[in-house]
Every structure is written in structure tokens, then in C-alpha cells.
Amino acid sequence: MTVMENKKQQQEECNKGQLKNCQRKKTSSSSCYSRINNLDDGCLMHIFSFLPPIPDRFNTALVCHRWNYLACHPRLWLRVDRSVKDLSEPGVFPNIESAVSASRPGDTILIAAGGTHRISNIQIKKPLCLIGAGEIPDDTMLTCARGSDSALEFLSTCKLANLTVKAELGCCLLHRSGRLTIDGCVLQCESNPLDFLSCPIVSTANSSEVVPSHIKSNSGNGVFVSQTRIEGGAKAVLTSGDLVLQRVRVVYARTSLLFWFDVVQM
Amino acid sequence: MSKTVKDAIETIPTDEINSISLSLVRSEILTKVIEYCKKHNSAQMSDVDLMDWDVEFANVHYTTLFDLVLSANYMNINCLLDLVCGKIADMIKGKTPGEIAKLFDIKDVSTYEEDN
């Protein structure tokens, strides 16, 4: 079995997958080693499934057209794009509510950058990861109008990354239970609020009784904030349960404050 | 271990089996696959040793890894496929798109970044 015959057969094998945007060049060089783009779609997607969504899988989407198509494939994550006209395309949704209801536990929802996504009182009861698709959190803006209690309400372990959540009145994130991770986001509230109404993070969760408090474990309710800008609001966190603020760090950048803190049981 | 081979054996009548055609697998890669299967089928090593052996096994040039992926996929050997895909994923982790394209020598017409 010569190498060239083998490569041709492999190429035919690869053409099984549907490649809409790809312009694959046949390797005309006499190199006898295989290239990563000779792998068929299924294999490449299997490789991508081993990567964490941010930053790695996201970076793979930027490498070339074919990888972009595969990395954004609905099998790996759901996309929210307000401008989507063709609703029959699987895995792409016009708004966040529909993506959340269509998602399965453990899915990642990628929210397109640019413009504002209006949301209100979205309850998230399954483990999900919401990621903004922009370069900086300010690119992806989620706005919650007056009249809603909160933009997002979490009843399950979730993660938010690279997003801006802005609440005109009321709180940005309402945490009921589970472990909420907020990484590299921006939370904006009213600058001069009525104290009890407007806080970026409100947590009503209680410590779980099962876990003894002296064990530092990965279970138990809590909110874990890192590298997040918090603007406005009377307090950064309002807890009406018995979780407390711990390990607070603040970095005073030129135009904003970056926070790191945990809200956990004592 | 290989579902493809297993299916081939089961569907062809036994007295007619002389050879099973694996046209997509090169001989060097087939040697490695056989080595992997033999090691995993022998019950001699402990799990930890087996994992160490796997790490050593996967520590090859990435072009060999791609061949292994294709072969494992063709021969339908799930554990080998996971091992090799995981290794390639580890190579991708932590790199920027430019670095990934450079590492794997991806020559696309233009990258998605440039288009947007």
C-alpha cells in the first residue's frame, strides 16, 4: 500500500462530512506525513470534545473555516444569535430563553457579541455554561428591563463567562442554589439605587446541612466570582441566606474595579 | 477490541476466513495498534502501570497520532481513539489560534479571524 494511494483513500473517507465553508487544498507536496485536516469531521469533533469551552474550544473555532464550522457545530454547543433569520438551522437560537429551554444539562451556550440581548427573569434549573462570544465581556450585553426581579435566576450549578449583565432595576444575578461561577464578567446596576432592590448579585441560598463546615469540599452552595467588574448597586452581594462573603480581593484598575470573592458557607 | 474486526469475523463464514482486509491502515500504524491491543488484553499490568504505558505509547509525533486516530476510528477501537484524541487535545490546549495553525501546519486560504 503506497503512501499516495493511502492518502487518496483517506481523502475520500473524509468527504463523508458536510463542509459548507471549507476550501480544502489537496496537499500536493511530497510530504509523506498526514495533516490534521485529513481527519474526518467526526474525529475532529471528538478531539474538540476533550477541550474546555473557554479558551481552548473557542480558539479552535478561530483557526480556519473548517474548524470554525466544526467547533460551532450544535453537537458541541448551542449558539444564540439575535440576527439569525433561518430558524431551521439546528443549534442556533434567536434568544437566550429558547436556547436555555432547548439545552440539555451540561451544555454550553455561546451568546453572540454585538448589540443587546434583552432578558428578564430567566430561570436556569439545569447545569449550563453561558459564554459571551466577544473578545471582552463588554461585547456581549444582556440587559434586564425594569419590572423584572432579576436577569438570570440560578437554581443549579452554572458558569457565566465573558458577559455583561445589566439590570436597570432589580438584581443582575439571583442565586438560589448550586455553585455559580462568574468569571471575567461585568455586572452593572443602577448607580443610585434603593438599597434593598438593586444589587448585582443576590444569593438566597443556604448552607447545605449534609456537608460539615470544616471540610473544604466541592459540594455545597456558593457563588464564586473572579476577575469581574461590578458597577453600581449599593452592595456587590446581598445574601439573605446564611452564606457569607469570603476571600475578597479587589484590583483598582484605571477606570474600574475588578473583584474576586467567594460567597460560601462558613 | 476492534469492533470492525469483530464484525468481519462474525459475518464471514468461518471456513472462508483467510484474511480480513484493512485497506485504510498502513502497516506501521497497524503494528502500533496491535501492540496497543495486546497490551490492553493481557491482564498482567495494574491500572496505574497501564496508564503510564498509555502515556508512553501516545508520546509520538503528531502525524503518527493522526494516523492512529484514523485507524482507531476505522477499526472502531474506542479506548485507543479516546487516548489519542485526548493527547491531540492536550496539544491544542492553551494555544492561540495562530499557534495552533502553526503547530499543525494548517494552510487554509484565510483564517476565520481575518475574514471577520
Side-chain angles (χ1 to χ4, degrees), chain A residues 165-227:
Chain A
V165 184
K166 179 174 169 159
E168 289 172 13
L169 190 72
C171 67
C172 298
L173 306 173
L174 179 56
H175 170 248
R176 298 272 190 212
S177 65
R179 298 170 60 85
L180 176 61
T181 307
I182 302 170
D183 187 16
C185 290
V186 176
L187 303 176
Q188 290 173 336
C189 268
E190 262 291 303
S191 331
N192 290 311
L194 291 173
D195 190 298
F196 59 97
L197 279 182
S198 182
C199 274
I201 303 177
V202 174
S203 175
T204 63
N206 284 316
S207 327
S208 32
E209 286 96 19
V210 187
V211 182
S213 53
H214 64 270
I215 295 181
K216 263 209 189 133
S217 63
N218 273 336
S219 53
N221 301 322
V223 181
F224 303 89
V225 175
S226 59
Q227 210 167 342

Side-chain angles (χ1 to χ4, degrees), chain A residues 6 34-35 46 56 59 65, chain B residues 26 67 82 94-95 105 115:
Chain A
N6 198 42
S34 40
R35 294 167 172 266
H46 194 62
D56 299 304
N59 280 337
H65 282 108
Chain B
R26 296 214 315 264
D67 287 329
D82 284 343
K95 298 201 163 64
D105 200 21
D115 267 2

Side-chain angles (χ1 to χ4, degrees), chain A residues 41-42 45-46 57 70 72-78 104 107:
Chain A
D41 291 354
M45 281 176 57
H46 194 62
R57 219 192 295 157
L70 292 177
C72 294
H73 197 275
R75 226 171 78 186
L76 290 177
W77 50 17
L78 293 82
R104 290 168 303 175
D107 274 347

